[in-house]
């Protein structure tokens, strides 16, 4: 029996903070060695941080990474342990994303990434090139200062594997796990038993199972050991890297790390029986047959043993039950950890939130409350780093530190209800009760006098005073009156965030939190430069439907009972006067429901539908509920306002990325912001399709057939464009129409 103890890790790195990154790498190696591991894998680009973006184009970034690696090799960190360390490397004037394998103060191989991530949030081709040579390993000349320290001039560079005396190992890097022609296939046929994946994978709602399934399938099909390491935390941008380092053997996960955590370093280890890998592969005839015809893969031979022989008490690690968080927990824990990293790394003193008593701002408040609860839990568990950060941010003195989440919230969280004559007592009381449950320092600030002052100034300038729609005003007047309220709130929020620490004799500044959701951004249902404009927004990429589910969950699990009442209330901006026969409602204002918005968003982004293909998909999806002309009206209405308001995405507050149909303009959803909002060509095509459907009578037949199916209690099969997949992703795909 060949037994191999391996270790992987989650590291909370920070782009361009080489001191923090180096410290975390060293700590992870130290912990891995203490556990008895002889193989250690770290995250992708762990020395620089994954999110350096255009800093990768600077020579300094690569030079500093080499300096950090030299520091590691100068000590005893790599003694008796094979370490894979991620960093950028320039070879023949080309920059590569590499894993550097080190053992006993030597570099034994450099493996450049072969399949770069270049979609969604990823832009690796902007900074790196993919290594495309598979036939041979080449010599890489080490930098002079590194060469002198380790007494080594060159190292093998390229695609290949490490052949030790008793085990063979190879690398995959992040995206290569998900490619169709993954490197591990030929490597497995060449006898490689252990695969080491250094990853930089970010959180997205309902995504973890896809990653875990890919890892399990990688070893289920080809056998072997798969070690997966990841970043965890906010490394300086919109993404939260959600850790979940793990180790899988022959299709079973034997170790799984946390997905959300405040820790800077988390190390997992497992004891693996490599003979079980050989046995697994040998019993599959198709694997044997394919392996016998495989093309030779280059290797580096290392005259060193890593495995142990069986001794009494040495038991290989058993499979574990995989831990998945429900979406409500993901919304609670992911943004909470992201906010904590942002708070402690920005050196801010806390957060300020305009709290309206509605679903969105209440969700943000609950997330901050959850953050405070997580901090207290980690302090109770003895995490000295979290304790030190909390004491510094909360400005505790003489060795004191927080012991209660409400006490901590009082020190670092301001909430402000900015009411007008249009605000209801219901929202005011809900905001106050939620603030009390969380423990925030709460203000109730009437702003009618400020609104009145602006209107009086406008009247003196123009001789006219605008009126609300319910009082006989035009649409232009009504919109202008709503916007001035919203923008005054933004100005007041930033003023209080900068001055309230001074008022309370505190140092520093507070970060303003935004609270617009992904659906409102998609539709443009927000005022440009209102309270959606803030420093950061933890829910900007979360749908309204998911937020309402989160509120129900948080009312029970975070013990903020007032959230149940918040969730039950109809969404309203409260920017128009309340009348006995009129009450402003978001969905009425938008001309569409939040459920419809979610479906439009998924079709537009995930299924890449323009107006015409969206109409065609929805005709099938809503067959029997809406006529083609009604579907056409809805699609046109959505795209009209999407086009009119797309410019708002260019100034959208930096938001936590959580949803696959986010309209965020910075890097995820790259589109123009000046449209012809009448979409003349596309809308004509839709009109023609409506006429064709009505003309050939097919729609009538479909509706009759659908009605008959429903009468028999049967569900109509999903039709067209993979809409069954869309249905699986929405809370209520039927849209209740």
């Amino acid at each position: 029996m060949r037994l191999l103890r391996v270790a992987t890790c989650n590291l909370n790195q920070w782009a361009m903070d080489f001191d923090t990154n180096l410290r975390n790498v060293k700590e992870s190696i130290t912990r891995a060695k203490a556990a008895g591991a002889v193989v250690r894998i770290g995250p992708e680009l762990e020395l620089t941080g994954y999110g350096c973006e255009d800093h990768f184009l600077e020579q300094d970034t690569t030079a500093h990474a080499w300096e950090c690696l030299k520091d590691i090799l100068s000590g005893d960190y790599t003694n008796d342990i094979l370490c894979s360390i991620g960093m950028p490397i320039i070879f023949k004037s080309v920059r590569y994303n590499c894993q550097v394998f080190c053992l006993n103060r030597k570099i034994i191989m450099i493996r450049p990434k072969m399949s770069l991530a270049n979609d969604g949030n990823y832009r690796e081709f902007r900074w790196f090139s993919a290594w495309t040579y598979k036939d041979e390993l080449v010599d890489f000349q080490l930098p002079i200062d590194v060469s002198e320290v380790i007494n080594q001039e060159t190292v093998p560079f390229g695609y290949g594997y490490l052949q030790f005396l008793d085990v063979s190992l190879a690398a995959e890097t992040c995206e290569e796990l998900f490619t169709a022609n993954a490197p591990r296939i030929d490597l497995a046929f060449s006898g490689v038993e252990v695969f080491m994946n250094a990853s930089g994978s970010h959180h997205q709602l309902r995504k973890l199972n896809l990653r875990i399934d890919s890892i399990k399938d990688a070893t289920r099909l080809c056998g072997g050991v798969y070690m997966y390491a990841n970043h965890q935390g906010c490394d300086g941008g919109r993404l939260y890297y959600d850790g979940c380092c793990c180790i899988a053997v022959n299709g079973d996960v034997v170790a799984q790390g946390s997905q959300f955590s405040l820790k800077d370093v988390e190390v997992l280890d497992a004891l693996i029986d490599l003979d079980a890998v050989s046995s697994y592969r040998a019993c599959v005839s198709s694997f044997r047959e394919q392996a016998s015809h495989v093309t030779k893969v280059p290797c580096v031979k290392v005259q060193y043993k890593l495995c142990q022989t069986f001794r009494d008490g040495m038991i290989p690690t058993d499979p574990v039950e995989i831990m998945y968080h429900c979406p409500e927990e993901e919304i609670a824990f992911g943004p909470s950890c992201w906010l904590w990293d942002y708070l402690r790394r920005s050196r801010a003193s806390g957060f300020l939130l305009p709290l309206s008593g509605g679903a969105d701002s209440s969700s943000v408040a609950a997330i901050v409350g959850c953050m405070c609860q997580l901090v207290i839990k980690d302090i109770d568990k003895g995490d000295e780093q979290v304790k030190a950060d909390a004491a510094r941010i909360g400005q505790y003195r003489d060795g004191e530190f927080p012991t209660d989440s409400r006490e901590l919230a009082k020190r670092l969280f301001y909430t402000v209800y900015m009411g007008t004559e249009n605000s209801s007592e219901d929202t005011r009381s809900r905001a106050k009760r939620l603030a009390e449950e969380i423990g925030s320092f709460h203000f109730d600030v009437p702003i009618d006098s400020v609104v009145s002052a602006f209107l009086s100034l406008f009247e003196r300038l123009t001789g006219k005073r605008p009126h609300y729609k319910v009082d006989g005003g035009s649409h232009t007047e009504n919109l202008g009156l709503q916007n001035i309220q919203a923008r005054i709130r933004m100005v007041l929020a930033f003023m209080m965030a900068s001055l309230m620490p001074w008022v309370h004799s505190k140092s520093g500044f507070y970060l303003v939190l935004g609270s617009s959701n992904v659906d409102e951004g998609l539709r443009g249902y927000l005022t440009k430069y209102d309270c959606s404009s803030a420093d950061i927004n933890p829910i900007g990429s979360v749908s309204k439907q998911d937020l309402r589910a989160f509120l129900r969950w948080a009312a029970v699990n975070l013990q903020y009972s007032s959230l149940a009442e918040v969730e039950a209330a109809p969404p309203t901006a409260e920017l128009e006067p309340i009348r006995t026969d009129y009450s402003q409602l978001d969905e009425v204002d938008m001309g569409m429901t939040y459920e419809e918005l979610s479906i439009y968003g998924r079709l537009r982004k995930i299924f890449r539908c323009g107006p015409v293909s969206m109409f065609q998909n929805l005709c099938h999806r809503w067959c029997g509920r809406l006529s083609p002309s009604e579907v056409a009206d809805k699609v046109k209405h959505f795209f009209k306002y999407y086009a009119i308001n797309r410019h708002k995405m260019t100034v959208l507050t930096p938001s936590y990325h959580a949803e696959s149909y986010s309209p965020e303009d910075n890097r995820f959803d790259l589109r123009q912001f000046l449209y012809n909002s009448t979409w003349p060509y596309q809308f004509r095509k839709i009109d023609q399709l409506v006429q064709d459907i009505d003309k050939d009578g097919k729609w009538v037949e479909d509706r009759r057939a659908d009605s008959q199916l429903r009468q028999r209690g049967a569900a109509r099969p999903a039709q067209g464009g993979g809409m069954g997949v869309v249905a699986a992703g929405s809370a209520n795909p039927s849209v209740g129409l």
Side-chain angles (χ1 to χ4, degrees):
M1 181 179 289
R2 293 175 298 146
L3 296 176
L4 181 71
R5 186 167 292 278
V6 299
T8 183
C9 60
N10 295 327
L11 298 186
N12 193 340
Q13 307 298 76
W14 190 5
M16 300 301 291
D17 185 354
F18 292 92
D19 285 339
T20 293
N21 298 344
L22 179 59
R23 182 174 63 249
N24 290 346
V25 171
K26 287 181 175 180
E27 177 64 20
S28 69
I29 296 173
T30 300
R31 293 189 192 180
K33 293 176 72 173
V38 293
V39 180
R40 176 267 182 196
I41 175 74
E44 183 177 12
L45 297 166
E46 58 187 309
L47 290 181
T48 58
Y50 182 83
C52 296
E53 299 186 324
D54 281 359
H55 285 295
F56 283 124
L57 303 178
E58 302 164 4
Q59 295 288 99
D60 282 1
T61 304
T62 302
H64 296 332
W66 276 115
E67 290 160 2
C68 291
L69 183 63
K70 181 177 68 174
D71 187 314
I72 293 170
L73 293 172
S74 298
D76 61 359
Y77 294 98
T78 62
N79 288 359
D80 303 318
I81 184 170
L82 174 67
C83 293
S84 171
I85 298 174
M87 59 180 282
I89 289 178
I90 297 175
F91 178 50
K92 294 184 177 180
S93 301
V94 180
R95 187 181 301 100
Y96 296 100
N97 176 348
C98 296
Q99 289 188 56
V100 181
F101 288 96
C102 306
L103 174 67
N104 292 330
R105 307 192 189 200
K106 300 289 185 181
I107 302 174
I108 58 176
M109 180 180 170
I110 298 175
R111 162 63 152 83
K113 190 172 183 179
M114 304 174 68
S115 297
L116 301 183
N118 209 60
D119 53 9
N121 285 297
Y122 297 101
R123 297 286 181 274
E124 291 185 6
F125 273 109
R126 183 179 175 95
W127 312 299
F128 301 105
S129 293
W131 182 260
T132 58
Y133 305 102
K134 289 189 172 183
D135 296 335
E136 62 177 345
L137 291 163
V138 297
D139 286 337
F140 175 84
Q141 182 72 44
L142 292 171
I144 294 176
D145 56 336
V146 176
S147 176
E148 291 176 347
V149 168
I150 66 175
N151 194 28
Q152 178 183 350
E153 293 183 357
T154 63
V155 60
F157 184 101
Y159 167 68
Y161 63 94
L162 297 172
Q163 181 63 64
F164 284 80
L165 295 174
D166 50 3
V167 61
S168 55
L169 308 93
E172 283 195 330
T173 307
C174 199
E175 180 74 8
E176 293 169 357
L177 168 64
F178 305 102
T179 56
N181 187 20
R184 66 178 173 275
I185 297 173
D186 284 344
L187 289 166
F189 290 153
S190 296
V192 173
E193 298 160 304
V194 180
F195 303 96
M196 305 166 68
N197 188 306
S199 185
S201 188
H202 68 271
H203 174 237
Q204 191 166 287
L205 289 173
R206 305 173 178 89
K207 174 187 174 185
L208 180 61
N209 65 301
L210 300 177
R211 190 191 309 161
I212 295 293
D213 288 348
S214 295
I215 292 170
K216 291 168 62 179
D217 289 344
T219 59
R220 179 182 293 114
L221 296 176
C222 293
V225 180
Y226 208 93
M227 302 167 59
Y228 177 88
N230 197 13
H231 293 268
Q232 185 173 63
C234 167
D235 80 340
R238 293 163 171 80
L239 305 182
Y240 179 82
Y241 299 93
D242 61 338
C244 205
C245 61
C246 61
I247 301 168
V249 182
N250 295 340
D252 293 319
V253 174
V254 298
Q256 179 189 4
S258 64
Q259 186 176 13
F260 308 109
S261 173
L262 304 183
K263 295 182 177 68
D264 284 341
V265 178
E266 180 181 2
V267 176
L268 286 182
D269 68 277
L271 185 63
I272 308 300
D273 176 10
L274 291 178
D275 288 342
V277 174
S278 301
S279 174
Y280 184 90
R281 289 173 171 176
C283 73
V284 181
S285 60
S286 59
F287 181 92
R288 297 195 307 269
E289 181 64 22
Q290 290 176 316
S292 66
H293 301 292
V294 73
T295 303
K296 182 179 179 181
V297 177
C299 74
V300 175
K301 294 185 177 181
V302 186
Q303 299 300 310
Y304 190 85
K305 291 184 179 181
L306 292 176
C307 295
Q308 307 172 60
T309 55
F310 175 77
R311 296 196 307 272
D312 188 39
M314 296 181 65
I315 302 173
T317 306
D318 290 328
V320 298
E321 183 178 352
I322 299 172
M323 168 63 182
Y324 292 114
H325 290 285
C326 66
E328 294 81 7
E329 291 173 328
E330 293 185 78
I331 294 170
F333 301 142
S336 294
C337 295
W338 182 76
L339 285 178
W340 180 248
D341 277 345
Y342 201 104
L343 180 61
R344 67 191 182 111
R345 289 174 169 171
S346 68
R347 313 297 289 188
S349 302
F351 298 119
L352 183 141
L353 171 68
L355 181 58
S356 69
D360 295 334
S361 62
S362 296
S363 295
V364 174
I367 288 169
V368 176
C370 179
M371 180 198 78
C372 293
Q373 293 184 19
L374 292 177
V375 169
I376 298 302
K377 287 179 181 178
D378 275 26
I379 291 175
D380 290 342
K381 292 176 182 177
D383 192 314
E384 293 298 323
Q385 182 63 59
V386 173
K387 182 198 289 188
D389 287 334
R392 175 182 58 82
I393 295 168
Q395 301 184 27
Y396 290 83
R397 293 180 173 84
D398 302 323
E400 295 181 343
F401 57 89
T403 58
D404 176 77
S405 64
R406 297 181 75 254
E407 169 203 345
L408 180 61
K410 183 69 72 175
R411 286 179 176 256
L412 57 77
F413 189 30
Y414 288 134
T415 51
V416 190
Y417 182 86
M418 292 180 270
T420 69
E421 61 183 0
N422 302 323
S423 304
S424 68
E425 184 56 37
D426 289 340
T427 55
R428 176 179 282 104
S429 63
R430 289 200 298 264
K432 181 180 178 181
R433 281 187 283 127
L434 179 57
E436 290 172 349
E437 291 171 346
I438 293 170
S440 66
F441 200 110
H442 186 65
F443 298 90
D444 188 335
V445 183
I447 63 171
D448 283 320
S449 60
V450 186
V451 175
S452 179
F454 269 92
L455 293 177
S456 296
L457 174 61
F458 181 82
E459 188 174 13
R460 286 199 299 272
L461 288 172
T462 65
K464 291 187 175 183
R465 192 176 184 92
H467 295 87
Y468 289 103
K469 179 175 59 179
V470 295
D471 296 327
S474 65
H475 173 75
T476 300
E477 294 171 75
N478 196 62
L479 187 60
L481 287 170
Q482 293 183 71
N483 287 347
I484 192 60
Q485 296 171 68
R487 288 175 175 139
I488 285 171
R489 287 172 173 147
M490 181 204 71
V491 174
L492 181 58
F494 275 98
M495 186 180 80
M496 294 185 70
S498 62
L499 292 178
M500 288 312 300
W502 166 72
V503 170
H504 289 153
S505 301
K506 295 181 179 180
S507 61
F509 61 97
Y510 276 48
L511 295 164
V512 178
L513 296 179
S515 58
S516 59
N517 63 63
V518 69
D519 296 323
E520 290 170 348
L522 178 66
R523 164 60 170 74
Y525 186 64
L526 51 92
T527 300
K528 201 173 188 179
Y529 305 118
D530 67 350
C531 283
S532 64
S533 297
D535 290 308
I536 51 177
N537 181 356
I539 65 164
S541 185
V542 183
S543 74
K544 192 76 164 188
Q545 298 302 307
D546 282 336
L547 286 176
R548 295 190 69 170
F550 163 70
L551 289 172
R552 294 191 294 270
W553 177 90
V556 177
N557 293 277
L558 298 181
Q559 298 182 356
Y560 302 147
S561 59
S562 63
L563 293 177
E565 185 179 339
V566 173
E567 190 278 330
T572 173
E574 291 196 334
L575 293 171
E576 297 183 59
I578 300 173
R579 298 286 190 267
T580 55
D581 59 343
Y582 177 78
S583 179
Q584 185 181 23
L585 296 173
D586 288 356
E587 293 183 333
V588 174
D589 280 356
M590 292 191 298
M592 61 191 74
T593 68
Y594 281 108
E595 290 179 271
E596 288 175 326
L597 257 178
S598 183
I599 289 180
Y600 298 150
R602 287 184 169 88
L603 284 171
R604 182 196 70 98
K605 178 65 177 176
I606 302 173
F607 291 91
R608 300 166 295 280
C609 287
V612 175
S613 54
M614 184 180 292
F615 165 76
Q616 292 171 322
N617 272 278
L618 290 177
C619 273
H620 287 289
R621 183 72 191 96
W622 291 339
C623 177
R625 298 182 178 92
L626 296 174
S627 69
S629 61
E630 291 171 325
V631 174
D633 288 343
K634 284 183 173 292
V635 171
K636 290 178 183 179
H637 185 72
F638 165 71
F639 273 101
K640 172 186 175 181
Y641 283 98
Y642 161 77
I644 289 172
N645 291 305
R646 179 66 190 185
H647 66 94
K648 296 178 182 179
M649 296 302 96
T650 64
V651 295
L652 195 69
T653 296
S655 302
Y656 179 100
H657 178 84
E659 182 55 77
S660 56
Y661 69 91
S662 170
E664 181 263 306
D665 180 76
N666 176 264
R667 63 182 297 161
F668 184 69
D669 189 45
L670 305 182
R671 301 167 196 251
Q672 71 207 66
F673 55 85
L674 178 61
Y675 283 87
N676 183 341
S677 61
T678 63
W679 302 82
Y681 186 90
Q682 293 91 332
F683 286 3
R684 281 202 310 274
K685 290 284 290 184
I686 291 175
D687 291 340
Q688 184 60 52
L689 286 170
V690 171
Q691 293 177 13
D692 291 345
I693 292 172
D694 289 341
K695 183 178 180 180
D696 64 20
K698 183 176 185 298
W699 181 258
V700 175
E701 295 174 9
D702 281 349
R703 293 186 70 181
R704 184 181 299 114
D706 188 69
S707 176
Q708 292 172 352
L709 282 171
R710 288 201 309 275
Q711 288 174 2
R712 292 197 300 267
R716 184 178 178 81
Q719 299 183 35
M723 284 304 296
V725 180
V726 176
S730 64
N732 183 4
S734 69
V735 199
L737 296 176

